[in-house]
PDB file of all heavy atoms in Angstrom:
ATOM      1  N   PRO A   1       2.779  11.273   6.863  1.00  0.00           N
ATOM      2  CA  PRO A   1       3.976  11.174   5.972  1.00  0.00           C
ATOM      3  C   PRO A   1       4.585  12.579   5.645  1.00  0.00           C
ATOM      4  O   PRO A   1       3.834  13.453   5.388  1.00  0.00           O
ATOM      5  CB  PRO A   1       3.406  10.576   4.785  1.00  0.00           C
ATOM      6  CG  PRO A   1       1.986  10.946   4.659  1.00  0.00           C
ATOM      7  CD  PRO A   1       1.542  11.068   6.176  1.00  0.00           C
ATOM      8  N   GLU A   2       5.883  12.584   5.617  1.00  0.00           N
ATOM      9  CA  GLU A   2       6.548  13.896   5.372  1.00  0.00           C
ATOM     10  C   GLU A   2       6.330  14.330   3.921  1.00  0.00           C
ATOM     11  O   GLU A   2       6.422  13.420   3.048  1.00  0.00           O
ATOM     12  CB  GLU A   2       8.072  13.840   5.728  1.00  0.00           C
ATOM     13  CG  GLU A   2       8.240  13.529   7.199  1.00  0.00           C
ATOM     14  CD  GLU A   2       9.780  13.487   7.516  1.00  0.00           C
ATOM     15  OE1 GLU A   2      10.457  12.927   6.721  1.00  0.00           O
ATOM     16  OE2 GLU A   2      10.108  14.024   8.648  1.00  0.00           O
ATOM     17  N   THR A   3       6.170  15.664   3.687  1.00  0.00           N
ATOM     18  CA  THR A   3       5.902  16.038   2.351  1.00  0.00           C
ATOM     19  C   THR A   3       6.602  17.407   2.050  1.00  0.00           C
ATOM     20  O   THR A   3       7.007  18.092   3.033  1.00  0.00           O
ATOM     21  CB  THR A   3       4.372  16.317   2.155  1.00  0.00           C
ATOM     22  OG1 THR A   3       3.982  17.202   3.129  1.00  0.00           O
ATOM     23  CG2 THR A   3       3.637  15.007   2.172  1.00  0.00           C
ATOM     24  N   VAL A   4       6.719  17.695   0.768  1.00  0.00           N
ATOM     25  CA  VAL A   4       7.169  19.054   0.288  1.00  0.00           C
ATOM     26  C   VAL A   4       6.049  19.587  -0.505  1.00  0.00           C
ATOM     27  O   VAL A   4       5.531  18.861  -1.436  1.00  0.00           O
ATOM     28  CB  VAL A   4       8.512  18.832  -0.515  1.00  0.00           C
ATOM     29  CG1 VAL A   4       8.737  20.143  -1.268  1.00  0.00           C
ATOM     30  CG2 VAL A   4       9.671  18.373   0.416  1.00  0.00           C
ATOM     31  N   THR A   5       5.743  20.826  -0.369  1.00  0.00           N
ATOM     32  CA  THR A   5       4.647  21.473  -1.221  1.00  0.00           C
ATOM     33  C   THR A   5       5.233  22.742  -1.693  1.00  0.00           C
ATOM     34  O   THR A   5       5.827  23.534  -0.873  1.00  0.00           O
ATOM     35  CB  THR A   5       3.436  21.832  -0.196  1.00  0.00           C
ATOM     36  OG1 THR A   5       2.955  20.542   0.348  1.00  0.00           O
ATOM     37  CG2 THR A   5       2.310  22.272  -1.031  1.00  0.00           C
ATOM     38  N   LEU A   6       5.030  22.907  -3.017  1.00  0.00           N
ATOM     39  CA  LEU A   6       5.379  24.200  -3.684  1.00  0.00           C
ATOM     40  C   LEU A   6       4.235  25.040  -3.791  1.00  0.00           C
ATOM     41  O   LEU A   6       3.163  24.640  -4.306  1.00  0.00           O
ATOM     42  CB  LEU A   6       6.011  23.784  -5.034  1.00  0.00           C
ATOM     43  CG  LEU A   6       6.239  24.999  -5.998  1.00  0.00           C
ATOM     44  CD1 LEU A   6       7.319  25.913  -5.598  1.00  0.00           C
ATOM     45  CD2 LEU A   6       6.503  24.535  -7.435  1.00  0.00           C
ATOM     46  N   TYR A   7       4.371  26.297  -3.457  1.00  0.00           N
ATOM     47  CA  TYR A   7       3.327  27.344  -3.729  1.00  0.00           C
ATOM     48  C   TYR A   7       3.767  28.338  -4.712  1.00  0.00           C
ATOM     49  O   TYR A   7       5.093  28.865  -4.506  1.00  0.00           O
ATOM     50  CB  TYR A   7       2.940  28.072  -2.342  1.00  0.00           C
ATOM     51  CG  TYR A   7       2.195  27.134  -1.431  1.00  0.00           C
ATOM     52  CD1 TYR A   7       2.987  26.370  -0.488  1.00  0.00           C
ATOM     53  CD2 TYR A   7       0.876  26.986  -1.478  1.00  0.00           C
ATOM     54  CE1 TYR A   7       2.319  25.464   0.405  1.00  0.00           C
ATOM     55  CE2 TYR A   7       0.199  26.185  -0.513  1.00  0.00           C
ATOM     56  CZ  TYR A   7       0.849  25.369   0.440  1.00  0.00           C
ATOM     57  OH  TYR A   7       0.369  24.576   1.252  1.00  0.00           O
ATOM     58  N   GLU A   8       3.002  28.672  -5.715  1.00  0.00           N
ATOM     59  CA  GLU A   8       3.463  29.789  -6.547  1.00  0.00           C
ATOM     60  C   GLU A   8       2.406  30.878  -6.545  1.00  0.00           C
ATOM     61  O   GLU A   8       1.256  30.586  -6.702  1.00  0.00           O
ATOM     62  CB  GLU A   8       3.429  29.349  -8.043  1.00  0.00           C
ATOM     63  CG  GLU A   8       4.523  28.377  -8.343  1.00  0.00           C
ATOM     64  CD  GLU A   8       4.605  27.965  -9.905  1.00  0.00           C
ATOM     65  OE1 GLU A   8       3.562  27.875 -10.454  1.00  0.00           O
ATOM     66  OE2 GLU A   8       5.662  27.634 -10.401  1.00  0.00           O
ATOM     67  N   ASN A   9       2.822  32.091  -6.109  1.00  0.00           N
ATOM     68  CA  ASN A   9       1.964  33.223  -5.846  1.00  0.00           C
ATOM     69  C   ASN A   9       0.778  32.788  -4.883  1.00  0.00           C
ATOM     70  O   ASN A   9      -0.305  33.191  -5.157  1.00  0.00           O
ATOM     71  CB  ASN A   9       1.388  33.796  -7.111  1.00  0.00           C
ATOM     72  CG  ASN A   9       2.564  34.377  -7.963  1.00  0.00           C
ATOM     73  OD1 ASN A   9       3.471  34.953  -7.349  1.00  0.00           O
ATOM     74  ND2 ASN A   9       2.578  34.269  -9.255  1.00  0.00           N
ATOM     75  N   GLY A  10       1.091  32.062  -3.842  1.00  0.00           N
ATOM     76  CA  GLY A  10       0.129  31.641  -2.865  1.00  0.00           C
ATOM     77  C   GLY A  10      -0.819  30.430  -3.261  1.00  0.00           C
ATOM     78  O   GLY A  10      -1.636  30.033  -2.536  1.00  0.00           O
ATOM     79  N   VAL A  11      -0.590  29.878  -4.429  1.00  0.00           N
ATOM     80  CA  VAL A  11      -1.451  28.707  -4.933  1.00  0.00           C
ATOM     81  C   VAL A  11      -0.572  27.408  -4.956  1.00  0.00           C
ATOM     82  O   VAL A  11       0.559  27.449  -5.428  1.00  0.00           O
ATOM     83  CB  VAL A  11      -1.909  28.997  -6.441  1.00  0.00           C
ATOM     84  CG1 VAL A  11      -2.764  27.787  -6.800  1.00  0.00           C
ATOM     85  CG2 VAL A  11      -2.760  30.202  -6.394  1.00  0.00           C
ATOM     86  N   LYS A  12      -1.116  26.336  -4.221  1.00  0.00           N
ATOM     87  CA  LYS A  12      -0.435  25.116  -4.182  1.00  0.00           C
ATOM     88  C   LYS A  12      -0.390  24.570  -5.646  1.00  0.00           C
ATOM     89  O   LYS A  12      -1.342  24.397  -6.300  1.00  0.00           O
ATOM     90  CB  LYS A  12      -1.212  24.189  -3.225  1.00  0.00           C
ATOM     91  CG  LYS A  12      -0.461  22.777  -3.204  1.00  0.00           C
ATOM     92  CD  LYS A  12      -0.976  21.756  -2.234  1.00  0.00           C
ATOM     93  CE  LYS A  12      -2.360  21.828  -1.705  1.00  0.00           C
ATOM     94  NZ  LYS A  12      -2.709  20.702  -0.914  1.00  0.00           N
ATOM     95  N   ARG A  13       0.902  24.244  -6.084  1.00  0.00           N
ATOM     96  CA  ARG A  13       1.092  23.813  -7.449  1.00  0.00           C
ATOM     97  C   ARG A  13       1.683  22.379  -7.504  1.00  0.00           C
ATOM     98  O   ARG A  13       1.516  21.772  -8.431  1.00  0.00           O
ATOM     99  CB  ARG A  13       2.154  24.677  -8.124  1.00  0.00           C
ATOM    100  CG  ARG A  13       1.580  26.142  -8.318  1.00  0.00           C
ATOM    101  CD  ARG A  13       0.492  26.167  -9.418  1.00  0.00           C
ATOM    102  NE  ARG A  13       0.173  27.551  -9.631  1.00  0.00           N
ATOM    103  CZ  ARG A  13      -0.910  27.945 -10.275  1.00  0.00           C
ATOM    104  NH1 ARG A  13      -1.837  26.936 -10.580  1.00  0.00           N
ATOM    105  NH2 ARG A  13      -1.126  29.174 -10.430  1.00  0.00           N
ATOM    106  N   PHE A  14       2.277  21.915  -6.440  1.00  0.00           N
ATOM    107  CA  PHE A  14       2.963  20.642  -6.465  1.00  0.00           C
ATOM    108  C   PHE A  14       3.173  20.077  -5.095  1.00  0.00           C
ATOM    109  O   PHE A  14       3.451  20.882  -4.117  1.00  0.00           O
ATOM    110  CB  PHE A  14       4.369  20.792  -7.144  1.00  0.00           C
ATOM    111  CG  PHE A  14       5.082  19.507  -7.299  1.00  0.00           C
ATOM    112  CD1 PHE A  14       4.729  18.545  -8.197  1.00  0.00           C
ATOM    113  CD2 PHE A  14       6.158  19.279  -6.543  1.00  0.00           C
ATOM    114  CE1 PHE A  14       5.361  17.324  -8.355  1.00  0.00           C
ATOM    115  CE2 PHE A  14       6.952  18.044  -6.595  1.00  0.00           C
ATOM    116  CZ  PHE A  14       6.539  17.032  -7.547  1.00  0.00           C
ATOM    117  N   LYS A  15       3.040  18.819  -4.869  1.00  0.00           N
ATOM    118  CA  LYS A  15       3.178  18.211  -3.563  1.00  0.00           C
ATOM    119  C   LYS A  15       3.842  16.770  -3.765  1.00  0.00           C
ATOM    120  O   LYS A  15       3.399  16.065  -4.700  1.00  0.00           O
ATOM    121  CB  LYS A  15       2.001  18.135  -2.805  1.00  0.00           C
ATOM    122  CG  LYS A  15       2.099  17.597  -1.389  1.00  0.00           C
ATOM    123  CD  LYS A  15       0.739  17.665  -0.589  1.00  0.00           C
ATOM    124  CE  LYS A  15       0.928  17.358   0.872  1.00  0.00           C
ATOM    125  NZ  LYS A  15      -0.249  17.546   1.618  1.00  0.00           N
ATOM    126  N   THR A  16       4.890  16.392  -2.928  1.00  0.00           N
ATOM    127  CA  THR A  16       5.516  15.059  -3.045  1.00  0.00           C
ATOM    128  C   THR A  16       5.844  14.603  -1.668  1.00  0.00           C
ATOM    129  O   THR A  16       6.048  15.403  -0.793  1.00  0.00           O
ATOM    130  CB  THR A  16       6.732  15.225  -3.944  1.00  0.00           C
ATOM    131  OG1 THR A  16       7.164  13.844  -4.078  1.00  0.00           O
ATOM    132  CG2 THR A  16       7.765  16.049  -3.380  1.00  0.00           C
ATOM    133  N   LEU A  17       5.938  13.326  -1.533  1.00  0.00           N
ATOM    134  CA  LEU A  17       6.496  12.794  -0.346  1.00  0.00           C
ATOM    135  C   LEU A  17       7.991  13.125  -0.271  1.00  0.00           C
ATOM    136  O   LEU A  17       8.618  13.231  -1.265  1.00  0.00           O
ATOM    137  CB  LEU A  17       6.295  11.230  -0.316  1.00  0.00           C
ATOM    138  CG  LEU A  17       4.930  10.707  -0.211  1.00  0.00           C
ATOM    139  CD1 LEU A  17       4.875   9.147  -0.334  1.00  0.00           C
ATOM    140  CD2 LEU A  17       4.416  11.081   1.220  1.00  0.00           C
ATOM    141  N   ALA A  18       8.521  13.165   0.895  1.00  0.00           N
ATOM    142  CA  ALA A  18       9.888  13.526   1.186  1.00  0.00           C
ATOM    143  C   ALA A  18      10.415  12.852   2.440  1.00  0.00           C
ATOM    144  O   ALA A  18       9.675  12.390   3.187  1.00  0.00           O
ATOM    145  CB  ALA A  18       9.992  15.064   1.207  1.00  0.00           C
ATOM    146  N   ASN A  19      11.757  13.030   2.654  1.00  0.00           N
ATOM    147  CA  ASN A  19      12.364  12.475   3.974  1.00  0.00           C
ATOM    148  C   ASN A  19      13.146  13.622   4.437  1.00  0.00           C
ATOM    149  O   ASN A  19      13.816  14.345   3.722  1.00  0.00           O
ATOM    150  CB  ASN A  19      13.330  11.293   3.538  1.00  0.00           C
ATOM    151  CG  ASN A  19      12.741  10.230   2.886  1.00  0.00           C
ATOM    152  OD1 ASN A  19      11.652   9.878   3.165  1.00  0.00           O
ATOM    153  ND2 ASN A  19      13.412   9.508   2.130  1.00  0.00           N
ATOM    154  N   THR A  20      13.037  13.829   5.791  1.00  0.00           N
ATOM    155  CA  THR A  20      13.864  14.895   6.508  1.00  0.00           C
ATOM    156  C   THR A  20      14.901  14.126   7.311  1.00  0.00           C
ATOM    157  O   THR A  20      15.028  12.888   7.201  1.00  0.00           O
ATOM    158  CB  THR A  20      12.950  15.820   7.375  1.00  0.00           C
ATOM    159  OG1 THR A  20      12.327  14.938   8.252  1.00  0.00           O
ATOM    160  CG2 THR A  20      12.019  16.518   6.459  1.00  0.00           C
ATOM    161  N   GLY A  21      15.529  14.818   8.135  1.00  0.00           N
ATOM    162  CA  GLY A  21      16.705  14.271   8.988  1.00  0.00           C
ATOM    163  C   GLY A  21      16.314  13.407  10.098  1.00  0.00           C
ATOM    164  O   GLY A  21      15.254  13.519  10.766  1.00  0.00           O
ATOM    165  N   ILE A  22      17.192  12.387  10.309  1.00  0.00           N
ATOM    166  CA  ILE A  22      16.982  11.504  11.404  1.00  0.00           C
ATOM    167  C   ILE A  22      17.214  12.259  12.835  1.00  0.00           C
ATOM    168  O   ILE A  22      17.728  13.335  12.791  1.00  0.00           O
ATOM    169  CB  ILE A  22      17.861  10.249  11.311  1.00  0.00           C
ATOM    170  CG1 ILE A  22      19.432  10.699  11.311  1.00  0.00           C
ATOM    171  CG2 ILE A  22      17.490   9.448  10.065  1.00  0.00           C
ATOM    172  CD1 ILE A  22      20.349   9.573  11.268  1.00  0.00           C
ATOM    173  N   THR A  23      16.947  11.650  13.935  1.00  0.00           N
ATOM    174  CA  THR A  23      17.071  12.281  15.201  1.00  0.00           C
ATOM    175  C   THR A  23      18.522  12.759  15.361  1.00  0.00           C
ATOM    176  O   THR A  23      18.750  13.836  15.991  1.00  0.00           O
ATOM    177  CB  THR A  23      16.669  11.321  16.353  1.00  0.00           C
ATOM    178  OG1 THR A  23      15.264  10.851  16.126  1.00  0.00           O
ATOM    179  CG2 THR A  23      16.716  11.974  17.733  1.00  0.00           C
ATOM    180  N   ALA A  24      19.516  11.916  15.020  1.00  0.00           N
ATOM    181  CA  ALA A  24      20.892  12.252  15.196  1.00  0.00           C
ATOM    182  C   ALA A  24      21.376  13.384  14.318  1.00  0.00           C
ATOM    183  O   ALA A  24      22.411  13.981  14.545  1.00  0.00           O
ATOM    184  CB  ALA A  24      21.816  11.059  15.044  1.00  0.00           C
ATOM    185  N   ALA A  25      20.586  13.700  13.253  1.00  0.00           N
ATOM    186  CA  ALA A  25      20.997  14.797  12.307  1.00  0.00           C
ATOM    187  C   ALA A  25      19.725  15.409  11.780  1.00  0.00           C
ATOM    188  O   ALA A  25      19.360  15.244  10.574  1.00  0.00           O
ATOM    189  CB  ALA A  25      21.793  14.137  11.084  1.00  0.00           C
ATOM    190  N   PRO A  26      19.051  16.152  12.621  1.00  0.00           N
ATOM    191  CA  PRO A  26      17.677  16.632  12.207  1.00  0.00           C
ATOM    192  C   PRO A  26      17.649  17.781  11.196  1.00  0.00           C
ATOM    193  O   PRO A  26      18.690  18.413  11.123  1.00  0.00           O
ATOM    194  CB  PRO A  26      17.091  17.056  13.531  1.00  0.00           C
ATOM    195  CG  PRO A  26      18.285  17.476  14.305  1.00  0.00           C
ATOM    196  CD  PRO A  26      19.356  16.548  13.926  1.00  0.00           C
ATOM    197  N   THR A  27      16.555  17.864  10.530  1.00  0.00           N
ATOM    198  CA  THR A  27      16.337  19.012   9.652  1.00  0.00           C
ATOM    199  C   THR A  27      15.811  20.193  10.546  1.00  0.00           C
ATOM    200  O   THR A  27      14.785  19.846  11.182  1.00  0.00           O
ATOM    201  CB  THR A  27      15.385  18.712   8.544  1.00  0.00           C
ATOM    202  OG1 THR A  27      15.898  17.581   7.907  1.00  0.00           O
ATOM    203  CG2 THR A  27      15.194  19.836   7.550  1.00  0.00           C
ATOM    204  N   GLU A  28      16.432  21.308  10.655  1.00  0.00           N
ATOM    205  CA  GLU A  28      16.008  22.356  11.651  1.00  0.00           C
ATOM    206  C   GLU A  28      14.668  22.958  11.137  1.00  0.00           C
ATOM    207  O   GLU A  28      14.584  23.267  10.040  1.00  0.00           O
ATOM    208  CB  GLU A  28      17.160  23.348  11.694  1.00  0.00           C
ATOM    209  CG  GLU A  28      18.477  22.811  12.380  1.00  0.00           C
ATOM    210  CD  GLU A  28      18.299  22.397  13.805  1.00  0.00           C
ATOM    211  OE1 GLU A  28      17.503  23.029  14.552  1.00  0.00           O
ATOM    212  OE2 GLU A  28      18.976  21.567  14.172  1.00  0.00           O
ATOM    213  N   ASN A  29      13.859  23.114  12.156  1.00  0.00           N
ATOM    214  CA  ASN A  29      12.644  23.871  11.902  1.00  0.00           C
ATOM    215  C   ASN A  29      12.966  25.368  11.659  1.00  0.00           C
ATOM    216  O   ASN A  29      13.886  25.874  12.227  1.00  0.00           O
ATOM    217  CB  ASN A  29      11.664  23.857  12.987  1.00  0.00           C
ATOM    218  CG  ASN A  29      10.984  22.432  13.147  1.00  0.00           C
ATOM    219  OD1 ASN A  29      10.987  21.636  12.214  1.00  0.00           O
ATOM    220  ND2 ASN A  29      10.345  22.203  14.288  1.00  0.00           N
ATOM    221  N   GLY A  30      12.177  26.034  10.792  1.00  0.00           N
ATOM    222  CA  GLY A  30      12.456  27.459  10.530  1.00  0.00           C
ATOM    223  C   GLY A  30      12.229  27.818   9.075  1.00  0.00           C
ATOM    224  O   GLY A  30      11.824  26.948   8.359  1.00  0.00           O
ATOM    225  N   THR A  31      12.340  29.001   8.735  1.00  0.00           N
ATOM    226  CA  THR A  31      12.192  29.552   7.441  1.00  0.00           C
ATOM    227  C   THR A  31      13.564  30.047   6.860  1.00  0.00           C
ATOM    228  O   THR A  31      14.128  30.920   7.552  1.00  0.00           O
ATOM    229  CB  THR A  31      11.120  30.709   7.297  1.00  0.00           C
ATOM    230  OG1 THR A  31       9.825  30.046   7.758  1.00  0.00           O
ATOM    231  CG2 THR A  31      10.927  31.188   5.858  1.00  0.00           C
ATOM    232  N   TYR A  32      14.017  29.624   5.797  1.00  0.00           N
ATOM    233  CA  TYR A  32      15.355  29.962   5.332  1.00  0.00           C
ATOM    234  C   TYR A  32      15.216  30.178   3.782  1.00  0.00           C
ATOM    235  O   TYR A  32      14.469  29.573   3.062  1.00  0.00           O
ATOM    236  CB  TYR A  32      16.238  28.721   5.523  1.00  0.00           C
ATOM    237  CG  TYR A  32      16.272  28.161   6.950  1.00  0.00           C
ATOM    238  CD1 TYR A  32      15.428  27.099   7.169  1.00  0.00           C
ATOM    239  CD2 TYR A  32      16.985  28.722   7.880  1.00  0.00           C
ATOM    240  CE1 TYR A  32      15.395  26.543   8.504  1.00  0.00           C
ATOM    241  CE2 TYR A  32      16.903  28.262   9.199  1.00  0.00           C
ATOM    242  CZ  TYR A  32      16.146  27.214   9.450  1.00  0.00           C
ATOM    243  OH  TYR A  32      16.053  26.550  10.684  1.00  0.00           O
ATOM    244  N   PRO A  33      16.219  31.089   3.219  1.00  0.00           N
ATOM    245  CA  PRO A  33      16.128  31.253   1.742  1.00  0.00           C
ATOM    246  C   PRO A  33      17.152  30.348   1.043  1.00  0.00           C
ATOM    247  O   PRO A  33      18.154  29.998   1.666  1.00  0.00           O
ATOM    248  CB  PRO A  33      16.662  32.752   1.676  1.00  0.00           C
ATOM    249  CG  PRO A  33      17.642  32.828   2.808  1.00  0.00           C
ATOM    250  CD  PRO A  33      16.930  32.072   3.967  1.00  0.00           C
ATOM    251  N   VAL A  34      16.706  29.971  -0.054  1.00  0.00           N
ATOM    252  CA  VAL A  34      17.692  29.128  -0.913  1.00  0.00           C
ATOM    253  C   VAL A  34      18.828  29.981  -1.203  1.00  0.00           C
ATOM    254  O   VAL A  34      18.660  31.256  -1.663  1.00  0.00           O
ATOM    255  CB  VAL A  34      16.884  28.696  -2.195  1.00  0.00           C
ATOM    256  CG1 VAL A  34      18.043  28.114  -3.275  1.00  0.00           C
ATOM    257  CG2 VAL A  34      15.882  27.675  -1.869  1.00  0.00           C
ATOM    258  N   TYR A  35      20.008  29.566  -0.989  1.00  0.00           N
ATOM    259  CA  TYR A  35      21.144  30.350  -1.236  1.00  0.00           C
ATOM    260  C   TYR A  35      22.239  29.844  -2.262  1.00  0.00           C
ATOM    261  O   TYR A  35      23.114  30.538  -2.670  1.00  0.00           O
ATOM    262  CB  TYR A  35      21.949  30.693   0.106  1.00  0.00           C
ATOM    263  CG  TYR A  35      22.578  29.431   0.672  1.00  0.00           C
ATOM    264  CD1 TYR A  35      23.902  29.033   0.299  1.00  0.00           C
ATOM    265  CD2 TYR A  35      21.911  28.740   1.668  1.00  0.00           C
ATOM    266  CE1 TYR A  35      24.540  27.951   0.882  1.00  0.00           C
ATOM    267  CE2 TYR A  35      22.495  27.571   2.224  1.00  0.00           C
ATOM    268  CZ  TYR A  35      23.815  27.307   1.839  1.00  0.00           C
ATOM    269  OH  TYR A  35      24.348  26.122   2.463  1.00  0.00           O
ATOM    270  N   SER A  36      22.015  28.597  -2.698  1.00  0.00           N
ATOM    271  CA  SER A  36      22.870  28.013  -3.633  1.00  0.00           C
ATOM    272  C   SER A  36      22.212  26.832  -4.281  1.00  0.00           C
ATOM    273  O   SER A  36      21.361  26.121  -3.583  1.00  0.00           O
ATOM    274  CB  SER A  36      24.202  27.505  -2.928  1.00  0.00           C
ATOM    275  OG  SER A  36      25.161  27.021  -3.901  1.00  0.00           O
ATOM    276  N   ARG A  37      22.450  26.600  -5.635  1.00  0.00           N
ATOM    277  CA  ARG A  37      21.764  25.641  -6.380  1.00  0.00           C
ATOM    278  C   ARG A  37      22.763  24.898  -7.303  1.00  0.00           C
ATOM    279  O   ARG A  37      23.626  25.494  -7.922  1.00  0.00           O
ATOM    280  CB  ARG A  37      20.575  26.231  -7.154  1.00  0.00           C
ATOM    281  CG  ARG A  37      19.737  27.076  -6.377  1.00  0.00           C
ATOM    282  CD  ARG A  37      18.693  27.764  -7.228  1.00  0.00           C
ATOM    283  NE  ARG A  37      17.743  26.866  -7.756  1.00  0.00           N
ATOM    284  CZ  ARG A  37      17.395  26.766  -9.101  1.00  0.00           C
ATOM    285  NH1 ARG A  37      17.931  27.511  -9.984  1.00  0.00           N
ATOM    286  NH2 ARG A  37      16.567  25.942  -9.538  1.00  0.00           N
ATOM    287  N   PHE A  38      22.437  23.629  -7.593  1.00  0.00           N
ATOM    288  CA  PHE A  38      23.126  22.756  -8.444  1.00  0.00           C
ATOM    289  C   PHE A  38      22.152  21.859  -9.148  1.00  0.00           C
ATOM    290  O   PHE A  38      21.310  21.229  -8.608  1.00  0.00           O
ATOM    291  CB  PHE A  38      24.288  21.950  -7.791  1.00  0.00           C
ATOM    292  CG  PHE A  38      25.279  22.764  -6.989  1.00  0.00           C
ATOM    293  CD1 PHE A  38      25.081  23.052  -5.694  1.00  0.00           C
ATOM    294  CD2 PHE A  38      26.338  23.291  -7.624  1.00  0.00           C
ATOM    295  CE1 PHE A  38      25.915  23.803  -4.969  1.00  0.00           C
ATOM    296  CE2 PHE A  38      27.301  24.031  -6.935  1.00  0.00           C
ATOM    297  CZ  PHE A  38      27.053  24.308  -5.570  1.00  0.00           C
ATOM    298  N   THR A  39      22.441  21.594 -10.531  1.00  0.00           N
ATOM    299  CA  THR A  39      21.675  20.517 -11.228  1.00  0.00           C
ATOM    300  C   THR A  39      22.147  19.252 -10.721  1.00  0.00           C
ATOM    301  O   THR A  39      21.361  18.290 -10.654  1.00  0.00           O
ATOM    302  CB  THR A  39      21.708  20.685 -12.740  1.00  0.00           C
ATOM    303  OG1 THR A  39      23.085  20.638 -13.049  1.00  0.00           O
ATOM    304  CG2 THR A  39      21.058  21.980 -13.177  1.00  0.00           C
ATOM    305  N   VAL A  40      23.445  19.102 -10.390  1.00  0.00           N
ATOM    306  CA  VAL A  40      23.966  17.842  -9.832  1.00  0.00           C
ATOM    307  C   VAL A  40      25.189  18.193  -9.152  1.00  0.00           C
ATOM    308  O   VAL A  40      26.022  19.162  -9.422  1.00  0.00           O
ATOM    309  CB  VAL A  40      24.248  16.786 -10.970  1.00  0.00           C
ATOM    310  CG1 VAL A  40      25.398  17.238 -11.899  1.00  0.00           C
ATOM    311  CG2 VAL A  40      24.604  15.449 -10.306  1.00  0.00           C
ATOM    312  N   THR A  41      25.440  17.497  -7.931  1.00  0.00           N
ATOM    313  CA  THR A  41      26.632  17.775  -7.081  1.00  0.00           C
ATOM    314  C   THR A  41      27.020  16.542  -6.277  1.00  0.00           C
ATOM    315  O   THR A  41      26.348  15.538  -6.331  1.00  0.00           O
ATOM    316  CB  THR A  41      26.446  19.016  -6.225  1.00  0.00           C
ATOM    317  OG1 THR A  41      27.668  19.480  -5.594  1.00  0.00           O
ATOM    318  CG2 THR A  41      25.433  18.745  -5.052  1.00  0.00           C
ATOM    319  N   THR A  42      28.227  16.643  -5.640  1.00  0.00           N
ATOM    320  CA  THR A  42      28.587  15.688  -4.697  1.00  0.00           C
ATOM    321  C   THR A  42      28.456  16.160  -3.249  1.00  0.00           C
ATOM    322  O   THR A  42      28.593  17.277  -2.890  1.00  0.00           O
ATOM    323  CB  THR A  42      30.086  15.346  -4.928  1.00  0.00           C
ATOM    324  OG1 THR A  42      30.253  14.821  -6.211  1.00  0.00           O
ATOM    325  CG2 THR A  42      30.649  14.379  -3.881  1.00  0.00           C
ATOM    326  N   MET A  43      27.858  15.314  -2.394  1.00  0.00           N
ATOM    327  CA  MET A  43      27.618  15.711  -1.035  1.00  0.00           C
ATOM    328  C   MET A  43      28.492  14.739  -0.183  1.00  0.00           C
ATOM    329  O   MET A  43      28.568  13.490  -0.449  1.00  0.00           O
ATOM    330  CB  MET A  43      26.106  15.478  -0.610  1.00  0.00           C
ATOM    331  CG  MET A  43      25.285  16.518  -1.310  1.00  0.00           C
ATOM    332  SD  MET A  43      23.596  16.239  -0.674  1.00  0.00           S
ATOM    333  CE  MET A  43      22.929  17.869  -1.247  1.00  0.00           C
ATOM    334  N   SER A  44      29.224  15.344   0.729  1.00  0.00           N
ATOM    335  CA  SER A  44      30.113  14.492   1.682  1.00  0.00           C
ATOM    336  C   SER A  44      30.074  15.064   3.052  1.00  0.00           C
ATOM    337  O   SER A  44      29.736  16.155   3.257  1.00  0.00           O
ATOM    338  CB  SER A  44      31.516  14.400   1.099  1.00  0.00           C
ATOM    339  OG  SER A  44      32.052  15.683   0.878  1.00  0.00           O
TER     340      SER A  44
END
């Protein structure tokens, strides 16, 4: 099962189940920085 794990200073602090992209719209493998954040937004 797909998961998201948060590490703080190298220590696992939180883990949850998650969903990534389907085959036709995959979530790309790699390492990326968070560049923008919203408490709530519209996605289209």
Side-chain angles (χ1 to χ4, degrees):
E2 295 181 323
T3 59
V4 169
T5 305
L6 167 68
Y7 293 88
E8 288 182 333
N9 294 322
V11 177
K12 183 175 17 174
R13 297 289 186 198
F14 181 73
K15 186 173 183 177
T16 183
L17 289 173
N19 302 326
T20 62
I22 59 175
T23 303
T27 308
E28 296 294 327
N29 288 345
T31 299
Y32 313 97
V34 170
Y35 68 86
S36 184
R37 303 172 75 233
F38 301 93
T39 54
V40 66
T41 193
T42 296
M43 293 183 164
S44 57

